[in-house]
Amino acid sequence: MEKIIVNGGNRLKGEVSVSGAKNAAVAILPAVLLCDEICRIENVPSISDVNVIVRILYELGASVKVIDNSTVEIDPSGINSFMLPASMSTKMRASSYFIGAMLGRFNRAKVAPPGGCDFGVRPIDQHIKGFETLGATVTIDGGMVNAYAKELIGGSVYLDKVSVGATVNIMLAAVKAKGLTVIENAAREPHIVDLANFLNSMGADIMGAGTNVIKIRGVNYLHSTTYSIIPDQIEAGTYMIAAAITGGELLIKNVIPKHLESISAKLEEVGATIEEFDEAVRVKMDGRPKCCNVLTMPHPGFPTDMQPQMTTLLALADGVSIMTEGVWDNRFKYVDQLTLMGAKVKVDGKVAVITGVEFLSAAPVRATDLRAGAAMILAGLAADGQTEIDNIEFIDRGYDNIVEKLSAVGADIKRREFIDPNERRAAI
Ligand code: UD1
């Protein structure tokens, strides 16, 4: 069992390069199913969620060639199964994208319900509504989502809730459907635009991605492509907060500054200086952060996936901040861990009241999910003493080489192997 050990107190200084976007990669990789020719995908992040998807593609019959640690070539022509058993799908949320992709390829899909981080109930009713609009019959039986259509025919679907997953899944199912599909109240996240750009690079006809109305005119055939995934907005945002929380200065490279605007705005509000370049941002912080209020919202609002990291910064702010979670029902589970380090945070439903303290103290803590794990690292970087973070497999799902990247800019952070006392007893 590995843990991450952080000795806090170092001011970070230097340059850090951001990897490809996790949430774009986990949509783009299943989308290769819609094509029968080789797809070369570049700027793929080296994270465990991507490994899971690539493994699924391989087990379904695709041939996969790893060119280097951020480039893969996938030949999906050998895929002939529309089944994704629980052993493959429950490891991550994005496995639900195989429903849309398989429907698009085979007009049918049988996929065990997806897993992923636990933020309370994670329904897929809007995905199903979209598939039904395209003419599919969807049932859930024997623990599997079954979708079948004699023929997929475009239609108009209004999402009752702005959903990234439903928008992706409906796009995937609609790309080769007959006629025009319109998604209204669509999600506008950067990874939605990236998926549309990827599909269009293979010959799809998708317009409006990045706005709340996406129009997809079905095409018969998608051809091979070479495509480079956009940089990860949340990884970049996490390093921006790493600079701010350590009173340091980081040049964060390989980013799209436009995607970081909501994060930059809040960091400026708490006193950081942000400089934007074409493909980089510099974040500098002197002194203690000021307090501020944050509401997470779908893009272009402040991202929910930056909520734990921002709460951690505000835990050290001068004054009282209010963090309101506007996307998920239950995304404050990590607060108990933060309070072990001396943070003063009171949660009432979707609202956290954060009374800033002058310092955090190291403690043994655990990652309760992916971004909460990143928040524990940030807290450890700022805390006095040695913080030990458990359950780091959550962090490895979405951060490419985070320990190496932070070490290179002055953090005292490492992975250490621990023997679980229960395992040791069992071995004796
Ligand atoms: C994606 C991201 C996740 C991020 C989230 C919100 C991926 C792989 N994951 O998750 O990191 O936190 O967007 O930005 O891209 N909802 C419904 N019915 C549905 C679908 C969703 O009610 O059919 C609700 C959810 O419960 C939630 C909200 O809509 O309250 C947003 O969910 P959604 O955007 O679908 O999140 P994911 O795609 O699962």
Side-chain angles (χ1 to χ4, degrees), residues 23 93 122-127 161 163-165 305 327-328:
N23 288 347
R93 182 70 180 166
R122 294 186 77 166
I124 56 165
D125 57 301
Q126 299 304 305
H127 305 226
K161 188 136 190 192
S163 160
V164 170
D305 289 352
V327 177
W328 296 107

Side-chain angles (χ1 to χ4, degrees), residues 54-78:
V54 170
R55 178 90 212 164
I56 290 174
L57 288 168
Y58 174 76
E59 289 191 13
L60 289 173
S63 76
V64 177
K65 201 157 142 196
V66 177
I67 307 294
D68 59 41
N69 56 11
S70 64
T71 309
V72 279
E73 271 183 10
I74 297 167
D75 178 354
S77 57

Side-chain angles (χ1 to χ4, degrees), residues 22-24 26-27 49 92-97 115 117 119-129 159-168 187 189 191-192 234 297-299 303-306 325-329 331 350 370-371 397:
K22 163 189 168 283
N23 288 347
V26 299
D49 268 13
M92 59 185 304
R93 182 70 180 166
S95 57
S96 70
Y97 296 159
C117 290
F119 309 143
V121 184
R122 294 186 77 166
I124 56 165
D125 57 301
Q126 299 304 305
H127 305 226
I128 293 174
K129 177 176 165 176
L159 297 181
D160 301 320
K161 188 136 190 192
V162 179
S163 160
V164 170
T167 305
V168 166
E189 267 64 6
H191 33 288
I192 300 285
I234 306 302
M297 286 196 295
H299 192 80
T304 171
D305 289 352
M306 284 300 298
E325 173 55 49
V327 177
W328 296 107
D329 289 337
R331 203 174 184 168
K350 292 175 151 198
L370 163 58
R371 305 303 170 185
R397 286 189 39 210

Side-chain angles (χ1 to χ4, degrees), residues 82-337:
F82 56 85
M83 282 260 293
L84 199 66
S87 56
M88 292 192 210
S89 82
T90 50
K91 290 200 178 89
M92 59 185 304
R93 182 70 180 166
S95 57
S96 70
Y97 296 159
F98 280 94
I99 311 176
M102 285 174 166
L103 254 184
R105 183 180 177 102
F106 301 113
N107 282 356
R108 65 187 311 162
K110 199 167 177 186
V111 174
C117 290
D118 177 10
F119 309 143
V121 184
R122 294 186 77 166
I124 56 165
D125 57 301
Q126 299 304 305
H127 305 226
I128 293 174
K129 177 176 165 176
F131 300 144
E132 288 176 343
T133 303
L134 297 176
T137 303
V138 185
T139 54
I140 301 182
D141 54 73
M144 302 288 274
V145 180
N146 277 298
Y148 169 76
K150 200 154 174 247
E151 184 181 33
L152 290 168
I153 299 175
S156 217
V157 55
Y158 178 87
L159 297 181
D160 301 320
K161 188 136 190 192
V162 179
S163 160
V164 170
T167 305
V168 166
N169 241 336
I170 299 166
M171 278 166 69
L172 294 175
V175 161
K176 290 166 86 178
K178 207 179 221 174
L180 182 69
T181 299
V182 181
I183 310 173
E184 289 185 74
N185 202 24
R188 292 181 278 167
E189 267 64 6
H191 33 288
I192 300 285
V193 180
D194 210 34
L195 173 65
N197 288 341
F198 170 71
L199 291 167
N200 285 342
S201 77
M202 294 197 288
D205 183 357
I206 303 173
M207 282 187 313
T211 75
N212 56 8
V213 181
I214 300 179
K215 294 186 176 163
I216 306 140
R217 196 169 289 283
V219 295
N220 290 329
Y221 160 80
L222 296 182
H223 54 74
S224 76
T225 187
T226 294
Y227 190 82
S228 182
I229 290 174
I230 52 165
D232 197 299
Q233 173 203 29
I234 306 302
E235 188 195 5
T238 303
Y239 292 127
M240 291 170 82
I241 294 194
I245 206 164
T246 61
E249 181 177 341
L250 288 180
L251 180 70
I252 300 154
K253 300 197 309 189
N254 186 33
V255 301
I256 299 175
K258 178 107 193 110
H259 294 168
L260 303 174
E261 278 174 354
S262 61
I263 302 165
S264 297
K266 281 295 156 188
L267 288 181
E268 281 178 332
E269 211 176 312
V270 302
T273 311
I274 315 272
E275 242 184 299
E276 278 185 13
F277 304 92
D278 287 347
E279 291 179 2
V281 288
R282 188 191 305 280
V283 181
K284 185 166 184 280
M285 182 87 178
D286 285 315
R288 200 173 165 192
K290 291 182 256 179
C291 56
C292 82
N293 297 335
V294 182
L295 165 65
T296 70
M297 286 196 295
H299 192 80
F302 189 89
T304 171
D305 289 352
M306 284 300 298
Q307 185 258 92
Q309 302 91 312
M310 190 68 194
T311 299
T312 303
L313 178 65
L314 295 176
L316 284 160
D318 188 4
V320 178
S321 306
I322 311 279
M323 172 62 78
T324 307
E325 173 55 49
V327 177
W328 296 107
D329 289 337
N330 189 357
R331 203 174 184 168
F332 284 118
K333 283 189 182 155
Y334 67 90
V335 162
D336 288 346
Q337 304 299 309

Side-chain angles (χ1 to χ4, degrees), residues 37-48:
E37 298 174 12
I38 294 174
C39 298
R40 181 185 170 100
I41 306 171
E42 299 170 348
N43 206 30
V44 179
S46 190
I47 54 175
S48 66

